[in-house]
């Protein structure tokens, strides 16, 4: 058989209660108080009756079966068998048999492991045997019956033989034997009727050869077009996760790459301008539906692709190879939605078809960007990578952020950047291919963050993640698929599990906010009275020079505004940020690091807004190119929504927004709940944007966001109410009617603050436009604003009372120890 073996459950052999077995195993066929017959005379009569019966065993059909077909088994046996030993010697015992579906036992009695327990039938000629079904008829001492049995072409670990006699297959068939009460203790030969009746299945229909073919594959010139023909299943059955058992539409990436060997091609190995995302049906977002699906569920298509003899850092192999050339070709793999969480083998259709270019005309080296370097090392003339960690002594009882610095990370091994991980020395050491899991925490230094082969990054080790007495360290190795084959970036810096040392200026860590303000002195603010949701600038001295990871926390209930404020070379911290909307009255602003500093502040309510806003909605795609990047084979990422946030291609949405606005819409504050989490690069990118708010003040409009997690440039952060994007309401399309005000196509531009917390784009980058729908609401109130009315207490709006951010799974520590009201918002790697 060419189909994979299917796991089938095997029912245990029929178990008889011990008391019942004792009752009938030696019980004669006459009542206990009847006079026992003369044994020799009875034996003579029964033996004569049994001798007159000719046993017969027939199975129909016995060949040409299809999987699931039923066969009919017709059997003739003596209705009784004479006991020749034991207490029942000479008596007539009712005949009972097991009818089973097994592999050929080769002349022996079939065992449970050789049979499909789900098919077993226990049959008898009369109702005196417990646990059997009485079937057939008895005429002149001959018991005849017919039974049907559906058969599978595979069960358990057994694959049944077909007409093609596939290698590894076994002869299956019907096996019949006497019921288990017949033993050597009561009959001379309990195996006397053991019979195996072979059945053979029809040869299976030809299975399509799944994969791709490429034409032409040799003599190709730079800029030529090749044809790619594919045969694949139209659907793939989910074997795990919530979709288990359902048919998932097949989608693939078709790419032009250098040979990945036995690994899956990475983004750095492929020409991203050539990538095609294709599917067999329009149910996978971001793909082009191509080809045809036949009645057998086979998807076929043909696509063309223009190829180049060099791309990126890669020069493709020609008919006259050069030392720097690599084998290029067409690579196909399943779309990124297929992963180990829903199918057993997401790499099952990975295939690389080599394409060789014609030799270049004339003399000299074929065109291209040049030698990418020796993939087995950092390249000639370059130093080996050097790695340092600070602090290197870790107190396992507290959460600690370590600073990792590297130099000399050059060559082809650094094409995808560098993976940086904390783990046990027994888990990995340089020179070995690393595993995907088993690390305490991991990060990714992207290629763009390697400046001349140097980098600085941070990893946060959660409290309790390290075990005293175990050897740990920081590992670096090549990123993505290069990690399996390239050992040039392998480095190890040991960690000491004990009391954390002073380090070299990076004394910060992911600290835990105090439950109450630890100090009310030492900070100078730009103004002693600030506005609700407004900006504040605070300065304090006395911190360790160049200290990082300083918490900025506002009290009474602690709200972490920033988890990575920094001191300069003089130990001075200067921080500018926004206060939470809804926080008013007397509070204390604190810095918490190597020392604690604070200052009392008075937060005045915002100016009154005369119109109440309820049930507003916001739609925003964030940035189309970023979503496409996450959706690509390079990032292999996704996004998820929680709370009042949702997603419907191509936009995220938030509902149930509340707040207020001015009569002329020259002032506005509308806040939403709900988060969007972006992940990619196997967890190295994990950033959450949450609780957007639209703020309009005279001529300016701003989108505020809470941002937490790990940015694409590798930083861990927690920031509240970040002015993320500048909005241009005047350029939007406004429509009034049906009790709502609609703004469509609101231009959005990334602010410097937004660029800092997101880490992917520069300030001024154009984001996707927003759409805002506002119910007209109640504009008759002239008293306290809707915002004030909704947030009359001192609890911050958009961050429920006393709630604090938390970034989970080893990247940010528990930030805040307030009582049961603490809100946890986080990510997990």
């Amino acid at each position: 058989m060419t189909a994979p073996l299917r796991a089938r459950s095997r029912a245990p052999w029929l178990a008889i209660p011990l008391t019942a077995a004792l009752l009938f195993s030696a019980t004669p066929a006459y009542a206990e108080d009847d006079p026992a017959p003369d044994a020799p005379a009875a034996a003579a009569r029964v033996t004569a009756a049994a001798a007159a019966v000719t046993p017969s065993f027939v199975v129909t059909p016995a060949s040409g079966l299809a999987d699931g077909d039923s066969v009919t088994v017709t059997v003739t046996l003596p209705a009784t068998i004479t006991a020749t030993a034991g207490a029942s010697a000479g008596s007539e015992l009712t005949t009972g048999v097991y009818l089973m579906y097994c592999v050929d036992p080769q002349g022996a009695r079939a065992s449970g492991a050789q049979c499909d327990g789900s098919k077993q039938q226990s049959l008898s000629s009369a109702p005196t045997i417990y646990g059997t079904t009485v079937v057939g008829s008895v005429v002149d001492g001959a018991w005849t019956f017919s039974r049907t049995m559906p058969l599978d072409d595979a069960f358990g670990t057994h694959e049944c033989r077909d007409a093609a006699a596939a290698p590894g297959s076994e002869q299956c068939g019907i096996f019949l034997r006497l019921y288990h009460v017949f033993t050597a203790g009561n009959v001379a030969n309990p195996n006397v009727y053991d019979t195996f009746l072979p059945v053979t299945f029809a040869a299976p229909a030809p299975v399509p050869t799944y994969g791709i073919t490429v034409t032409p594959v040799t003599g190709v010139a730079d800029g030529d077009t090749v044809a790619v023909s594919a045969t694949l299943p139209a659907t793939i059955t989910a074997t795990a996760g919530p979709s288990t058992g359902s048919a998932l539409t097949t989608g693939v990436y078709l790419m032009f790459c250098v040979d990945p060997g036995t690994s899956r091609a990475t983004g750095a190995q492929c020409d991203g301008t050539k990538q095609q995302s294709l599917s067999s049906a329009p149910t996978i977002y971001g793909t082009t539906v191509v080809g045809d699906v036949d009645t057998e569920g086979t998807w076929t298509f043909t696509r063309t692709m223009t190829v180049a003899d060099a791309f990126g850092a890669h020069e493709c192999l020609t008919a006259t190879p050069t030392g720097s050339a690599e084998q290029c070709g067409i690579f196909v793999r399943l779309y990124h939605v297929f992963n180990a969480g829903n199918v057993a083998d997401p790499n099952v259709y990975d295939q690389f078809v080599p394409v060789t270019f014609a030799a270049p005309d004339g003399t000299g080296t074929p065109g291209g960007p040049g030698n990418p370097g020796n993939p087995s090392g950092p390249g000639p003339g370059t130093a080996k990578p050097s790695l340092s960690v600070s602090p290197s002594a870790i107190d396992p009882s507290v959460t600690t952020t370590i600073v990792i610095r590297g130099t000399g990370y050059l060559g082809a091994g650094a094409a995808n950047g560098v993976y940086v991980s904390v783990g046990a020395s027994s888990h990995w050491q340089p020179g070995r291919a690393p595993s995907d899991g088993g690390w305490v925490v991991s990060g990714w230094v992207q290629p763009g963050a390697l400046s001349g082969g140097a980098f600085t990054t941070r990893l946060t080790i959660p409290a309790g993640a390290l075990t005293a007495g175990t050897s740990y360290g920081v590992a670096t190795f090549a990123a993505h698929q290069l990690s399996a084959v390239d050992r040039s970036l392998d480095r190890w810096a040991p960690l000491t599990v004990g009391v954390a040392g002073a380090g070299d200026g990076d004394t910060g860590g992911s600290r835990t906010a105090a439950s109450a303000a630890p100090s009310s002195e030492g900070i100078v603010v730009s103004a002693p009275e600030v506005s609700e949701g407004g900006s504040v600038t605070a300065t304090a001295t006395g911190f360790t020079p160049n200290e990082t990871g300083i918490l900025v926390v506002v009290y009474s209930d602690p709200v972490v505004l920033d988890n990575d404020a920094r001191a300069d070379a003089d130990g001075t911290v200067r921080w500018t940020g926004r206060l939470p909307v809804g926080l008013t009255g007397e509070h204390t602003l604190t810095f918490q690091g190597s020392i604690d500093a604070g200052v009392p502040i008075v937060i005045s309510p915002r100016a009154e807004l005369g119109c109440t806003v309820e049930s507003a909605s916001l739609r925003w795609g964030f940035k189309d190119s970023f979503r496409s990047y996450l959706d690509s084979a390079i990032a292999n990422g996704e996004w998820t929504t929680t709370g009042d946030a949702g997603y419907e291609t191509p936009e995220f949405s938030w509902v149930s927004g509340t707040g207020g606005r001015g009569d002329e819409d020259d002032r506005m504050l509308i806040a939403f709940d709900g988060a969007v989490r972006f992940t990619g690069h196997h967890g190295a990118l994990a950033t959450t944007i949450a609780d957007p708010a639209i703020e309009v003040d005279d001529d300016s409009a701003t989108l505020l966001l809470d941002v937490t997690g790990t940015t694409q440039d590798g930083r861990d952060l927690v920031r509240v109410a970040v002015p993320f994007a500048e909005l241009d309401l005047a350029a939007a399309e406004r429509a009034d009617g049906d009790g709502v005000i609609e703004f469509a196509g609101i231009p959005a531009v990334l602010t410097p603050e937004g660029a800092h917390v997101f880490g992917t784009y520069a300030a001024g980058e154009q984001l996707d436009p927003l759409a805002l729908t506002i119910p007209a609401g109640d504009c008759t109130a002239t008293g306290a604003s809707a915002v004030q009315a909704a947030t009359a207490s001192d609890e911050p709006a958009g961050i429920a009372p006393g709630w604090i951010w938390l970034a989970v799974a080893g990247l940010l520590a528990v930030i805040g120890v307030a009582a049961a009201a603490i809100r946890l918002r986080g990510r997990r790697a």
Side-chain angles (χ1 to χ4, degrees), residues 327-724:
Q327 179 64 67
C328 299
I330 307 299
F331 185 76
V332 66
R333 52 156 286 192
L334 285 177
Y335 200 64
H336 73 274
V337 298
F338 292 95
N339 52 58
N342 56 16
V343 294
D345 183 7
N347 297 5
V348 62
Y349 299 117
D350 285 13
Q351 183 184 354
F352 177 78
V353 177
V355 173
T356 302
F357 287 81
D361 293 332
T363 61
T365 303
N371 190 338
N374 180 357
S376 64
T382 61
K384 291 184 178 180
S386 175
L387 182 66
S388 66
V389 180
S390 176
S392 59
I394 307 298
D395 180 354
S397 66
V398 299
T399 296
T400 305
T401 294
I402 58 176
V403 180
I404 303 104
R405 295 182 176 90
T407 59
Y409 286 78
L410 299 166
N416 300 331
V418 184
Y419 279 155
V420 182
S421 299
V422 173
S425 60
S426 59
H427 180 67
W428 182 83
Q429 282 290 289
R432 303 202 317 245
S435 62
D436 289 337
W439 300 99
V440 177
V441 290
S442 295
W444 174 41
V445 179
Q446 297 182 61
L450 290 171
S451 177
F455 69 86
T456 298
T457 191
R458 291 171 170 78
L459 291 177
T460 299
I461 304 173
L466 305 183
T467 302
T470 300
S471 173
Y472 293 97
V474 176
T476 66
F477 40 83
H480 300 336
Q481 299 301 327
L482 288 177
S483 65
V485 296
D486 190 300
R487 306 270 59 85
S488 63
L489 307 187
D490 287 8
R491 288 296 177 270
W492 178 265
L495 294 174
T496 301
V497 181
V499 179
D504 57 359
D506 289 291
T507 58
S510 188
R511 297 178 169 91
T512 300
S515 58
S519 176
S520 59
E521 298 178 345
I523 292 180
V524 177
V525 294
S526 54
E529 184 170 327
V530 293
S531 176
E532 169 195 357
S535 177
V536 61
T537 297
T539 304
T541 60
F543 288 84
T544 302
N546 302 314
E547 182 176 347
T548 63
I550 300 168
L551 296 183
V552 181
V553 189
V554 65
Y555 293 83
S556 299
D557 289 328
V559 177
V560 177
L561 305 181
D562 192 348
N563 74 323
D564 195 22
R566 302 187 177 195
D568 61 18
D570 296 326
T572 299
V573 179
R574 295 178 178 85
W575 181 84
T576 298
R578 299 283 292 243
L579 296 170
V581 174
L583 194 65
T584 61
E586 296 181 359
H587 295 275
T588 302
L589 181 68
T590 68
F591 291 166
Q592 300 175 32
S594 57
I595 65 170
D596 295 322
V599 63
I601 58 173
V602 177
I603 306 175
S604 61
R606 298 174 63 90
E608 295 181 359
L609 299 175
C611 302
T612 301
V613 173
E614 295 180 350
S615 301
S617 62
L618 173 67
R619 301 193 314 278
W620 183 37
F622 190 77
K623 187 169 178 61
D624 177 70
S625 60
F626 180 70
R627 298 196 322 273
S628 298
Y629 169 76
L630 283 186
D631 216 19
S632 72
I634 299 173
N636 200 22
E638 62 179 355
W639 49 82
T640 55
T641 60
T642 56
D644 287 338
Y647 179 76
E648 183 173 348
T649 306
E651 294 174 316
F652 301 100
S653 62
W654 287 263
V655 296
S656 304
T658 60
R661 62 183 180 85
D663 294 340
E664 303 299 325
D665 295 331
D666 57 341
R667 288 180 296 153
M668 187 183 305
L669 180 63
I670 303 174
F672 300 84
D673 283 330
V676 178
R677 182 171 183 257
F678 298 112
T679 58
H681 298 290
H682 305 285
L685 162 65
T687 301
T688 298
I689 60 171
D691 301 344
I694 305 294
E695 181 184 52
V696 179
D697 189 2
D698 294 329
D699 296 331
S700 66
T702 307
L703 170 66
L704 306 176
L705 289 175
D706 297 346
V707 183
T708 185
T710 302
T711 66
Q712 192 172 346
D713 59 0
R715 291 177 291 111
D716 297 337
L717 60 89
V718 172
R719 290 294 300 273
V720 174
V722 178
F724 196 83

